[in-house]
Coordinates of all heavy atoms in Angstrom, one line a residue:
I13 N -10.1 2.9 -14.7 CA -8.8 3.2 -14.2 C -7.8 2.0 -14.2 O -6.7 2.1 -14.5 CB -8.8 3.8 -12.8 CG1 -9.5 5.2 -12.9 CG2 -7.5 4.0 -12.1 CD1 -9.9 5.8 -11.6
E14 N -8.4 0.8 -13.8 CA -7.5 -0.4 -13.6 C -6.7 -0.7 -14.8 O -5.5 -1.0 -14.7 CB -8.3 -1.5 -13.1 CG -7.4 -2.6 -12.5 CD -8.2 -3.5 -11.5 OE1 -9.4 -3.7 -11.7 OE2 -7.5 -4.0 -10.6
P15 N -7.3 -0.7 -16.1 CA -6.5 -1.1 -17.2 C -5.3 -0.1 -17.5 O -4.2 -0.5 -17.9 CB -7.5 -1.0 -18.4 CG -8.8 -1.2 -17.8 CD -8.7 -0.6 -16.4
L16 N -5.5 1.2 -17.1 CA -4.4 2.2 -17.3 C -3.3 1.9 -16.3 O -2.1 2.0 -16.6 CB -5.0 3.6 -17.1 CG -6.1 4.0 -18.1 CD1 -6.6 5.4 -17.6 CD2 -5.6 4.1 -19.5
V17 N -3.7 1.5 -15.1 CA -2.7 1.2 -14.0 C -1.9 -0.1 -14.4 O -0.7 -0.1 -14.3 CB -3.4 1.1 -12.7 CG1 -2.5 0.6 -11.6 CG2 -4.0 2.4 -12.3
T18 N -2.6 -1.1 -14.7 CA -2.0 -2.4 -15.0 C -1.1 -2.3 -16.3 O -0.1 -3.0 -16.4 CB -2.9 -3.6 -15.2 OG1 -3.9 -3.2 -16.2 CG2 -3.6 -3.8 -13.8
A19 N -1.4 -1.4 -17.2 CA -0.6 -1.2 -18.4 C 0.8 -0.7 -18.1 O 1.7 -0.8 -18.8 CB -1.3 -0.3 -19.4
K20 N 0.9 0.0 -16.9 CA 2.2 0.5 -16.4 C 2.8 -0.4 -15.4 O 3.7 0.0 -14.7 CB 1.9 1.9 -15.8 CG 1.3 2.9 -16.8 CD 1.8 4.3 -16.4 CE 1.4 5.3 -17.5 NZ 2.0 5.1 -18.8
D21 N 2.4 -1.7 -15.4 CA 2.9 -2.7 -14.4 C 2.8 -2.2 -13.0 O 3.7 -2.4 -12.2 CB 4.3 -3.0 -14.8 CG 4.5 -3.8 -16.1 OD1 3.5 -4.6 -16.4 OD2 5.5 -3.6 -16.8
L22 N 1.7 -1.6 -12.7 CA 1.4 -1.1 -11.3 C 0.2 -1.9 -10.8 O -0.6 -2.4 -11.5 CB 1.1 0.4 -11.3 CG 2.3 1.3 -11.7 CD1 1.8 2.7 -11.8 CD2 3.5 1.2 -10.8
D23 N 0.0 -1.9 -9.4 CA -1.2 -2.4 -8.8 C -2.1 -1.3 -8.3 O -1.6 -0.3 -7.7 CB -0.7 -3.3 -7.6 CG 0.1 -4.5 -7.9 OD1 -0.2 -5.1 -8.9 OD2 1.1 -4.7 -7.2
L24 N -3.3 -1.4 -8.6 CA -4.3 -0.5 -8.1 C -4.7 -0.8 -6.7 O -5.3 -1.9 -6.4 CB -5.6 -0.5 -9.0 CG -6.7 0.5 -8.6 CD1 -6.2 2.0 -8.6 CD2 -7.9 0.4 -9.5
E25 N -4.2 0.0 -5.7 CA -4.4 -0.4 -4.3 C -5.8 0.2 -3.8 O -6.4 -0.4 -3.0 CB -3.3 0.2 -3.5 CG -1.9 -0.4 -3.8 CD -1.8 -1.9 -3.3 OE1 -2.7 -2.3 -2.5 OE2 -0.9 -2.6 -3.8
E26 N -6.1 1.4 -4.2 CA -7.3 2.0 -3.6 C -7.9 3.1 -4.6 O -7.1 3.8 -5.2 CB -6.9 2.7 -2.3 CG -8.0 3.3 -1.5 CD -7.5 4.0 -0.2 OE1 -6.3 3.7 0.2 OE2 -8.3 4.7 0.4
I27 N -9.2 3.2 -4.6 CA -9.9 4.3 -5.2 C -10.8 4.9 -4.2 O -11.6 4.2 -3.6 CB -10.7 3.9 -6.5 CG1 -9.8 3.3 -7.5 CG2 -11.5 5.0 -7.0 CD1 -10.6 2.7 -8.7
E28 N -10.7 6.2 -4.0 CA -11.5 6.8 -2.9 C -12.1 8.1 -3.5 O -11.4 8.9 -4.1 CB -10.7 7.2 -1.7 CG -11.4 7.9 -0.6 CD -10.5 8.3 0.5 OE1 -9.4 7.6 0.7 OE2 -10.8 9.3 1.1
V29 N -13.4 8.3 -3.4 CA -14.1 9.5 -3.8 C -14.7 10.2 -2.6 O -15.3 9.5 -1.8 CB -15.2 9.2 -4.8 CG1 -15.9 10.5 -5.2 CG2 -14.7 8.6 -6.1
S30 N -14.3 11.5 -2.4 CA -14.9 12.2 -1.3 C -15.1 13.7 -1.7 O -14.9 14.0 -2.9 CB -13.9 12.2 -0.1 OG -12.6 12.7 -0.5
R31 N -15.6 14.5 -0.8 CA -15.8 15.9 -1.1 C -14.7 16.7 -0.5 O -14.2 16.4 0.6 CB -17.1 16.4 -0.4 CG -18.4 15.6 -0.9 CD -18.8 15.8 -2.3 NE -18.8 17.2 -2.8 CZ -18.8 17.5 -4.1 NH1 -18.7 16.6 -5.0 NH2 -18.8 18.8 -4.4
A32 N -14.3 17.7 -1.2 CA -13.3 18.7 -0.7 C -13.9 20.1 -0.9 O -13.7 20.7 -2.0 CB -12.0 18.6 -1.4
G33 N -14.7 20.5 0.0 CA -15.5 21.8 -0.2 C -16.5 21.6 -1.3 O -17.3 20.6 -1.2
R34 N -16.6 22.4 -2.3 CA -17.6 22.3 -3.4 C -17.1 21.3 -4.4 O -17.9 20.9 -5.3 CB -17.8 23.6 -4.0 CG -18.6 24.6 -3.1 CD -18.8 25.9 -3.8 NE -17.6 26.7 -3.5 CZ -17.2 27.7 -4.3 NH1 -17.8 28.0 -5.4 NH2 -16.1 28.3 -3.9
R35 N -15.9 20.9 -4.4 CA -15.3 20.0 -5.4 C -15.3 18.5 -4.9 O -15.2 18.3 -3.7 CB -13.9 20.3 -5.7 CG -13.8 21.7 -6.4 CD -12.3 21.9 -6.7 NE -12.1 23.3 -7.2 CZ -11.0 23.8 -7.4 NH1 -9.9 23.1 -7.2 NH2 -10.9 25.0 -7.9
G36 N -15.3 17.6 -5.8 CA -15.1 16.2 -5.5 C -13.6 16.0 -5.5 O -12.8 16.7 -6.0
L37 N -13.2 14.9 -4.8 CA -11.8 14.5 -4.7 C -11.8 13.0 -5.1 O -12.4 12.2 -4.4 CB -11.2 14.7 -3.3 CG -9.8 14.2 -3.1 CD1 -8.8 14.9 -4.0 CD2 -9.4 14.3 -1.6
L38 N -11.0 12.7 -6.1 CA -10.8 11.3 -6.5 C -9.4 11.0 -6.2 O -8.4 11.6 -6.8 CB -11.1 11.1 -8.0 CG -10.7 9.8 -8.6 CD1 -11.4 8.6 -7.9 CD2 -11.0 9.7 -10.1
R39 N -9.2 10.1 -5.3 CA -7.8 9.7 -4.9 C -7.6 8.3 -5.4 O -8.3 7.4 -5.1 CB -7.7 9.7 -3.3 CG -6.3 9.3 -2.8 CD -6.2 9.6 -1.3 NE -6.1 11.0 -1.1 CZ -6.9 11.6 -0.2 NH1 -7.8 11.0 0.5 NH2 -6.8 12.9 -0.1
V40 N -6.5 8.1 -6.1 CA -6.1 6.8 -6.7 C -4.7 6.5 -6.1 O -3.8 7.3 -6.3 CB -6.1 6.9 -8.3 CG1 -5.6 5.6 -8.8 CG2 -7.4 7.3 -8.8
V41 N -4.6 5.3 -5.5 CA -3.4 4.9 -4.9 C -2.9 3.7 -5.6 O -3.6 2.7 -5.8 CB -3.6 4.6 -3.4 CG1 -2.3 4.1 -2.8 CG2 -4.2 5.8 -2.6
V42 N -1.6 3.8 -6.1 CA -1.0 2.7 -6.9 C 0.3 2.3 -6.2 O 0.9 3.1 -5.5 CB -0.8 3.1 -8.4 CG1 -2.1 3.4 -9.1 CG2 0.1 4.3 -8.5
D43 N 0.8 1.1 -6.5 CA 2.0 0.6 -6.0 C 2.6 -0.5 -6.9 O 1.9 -0.9 -7.9 CB 1.8 0.0 -4.6 CG 3.1 -0.1 -3.8 OD1 4.1 0.4 -4.2 OD2 3.0 -0.6 -2.7
S44 N 3.8 -0.9 -6.7 CA 4.5 -1.9 -7.4 C 5.6 -2.5 -6.5 O 5.9 -2.0 -5.5 CB 5.1 -1.5 -8.7 OG 6.3 -0.8 -8.5
E45 N 6.2 -3.6 -7.0 CA 7.2 -4.3 -6.3 C 8.4 -3.3 -6.0 O 9.1 -3.4 -5.0 CB 7.8 -5.5 -7.1 CG 6.8 -6.6 -7.2 CD 6.4 -7.3 -5.9 OE1 7.2 -7.4 -5.0 OE2 5.2 -7.7 -5.8
E46 N 8.7 -2.5 -7.0 CA 9.8 -1.5 -6.9 C 9.5 -0.2 -6.3 O 10.3 0.7 -6.2 CB 10.5 -1.3 -8.2 CG 11.0 -2.6 -8.9 CD 10.0 -3.4 -9.5 OE1 9.0 -2.9 -10.1 OE2 10.1 -4.7 -9.5
G47 N 8.2 0.0 -5.9 CA 7.7 1.3 -5.5 C 7.3 2.1 -6.7 O 7.2 1.6 -7.9

Side-chain angles (χ1 to χ4, degrees):
I13 294 170
E14 197 157 31
L16 300 173
V17 172
T18 55
K20 299 211 174 294
D21 292 325
L22 299 172
D23 296 318
L24 180 59
E25 296 291 342
E26 182 181 350
I27 297 174
E28 177 186 332
V29 177
S30 60
R31 301 292 313 158
R34 287 179 275 155
R35 296 182 185 172
L37 172 64
L38 172 58
R39 181 172 290 126
V40 178
V41 180
V42 296
D43 200 6
S44 78
E45 294 294 328
E46 298 79 34

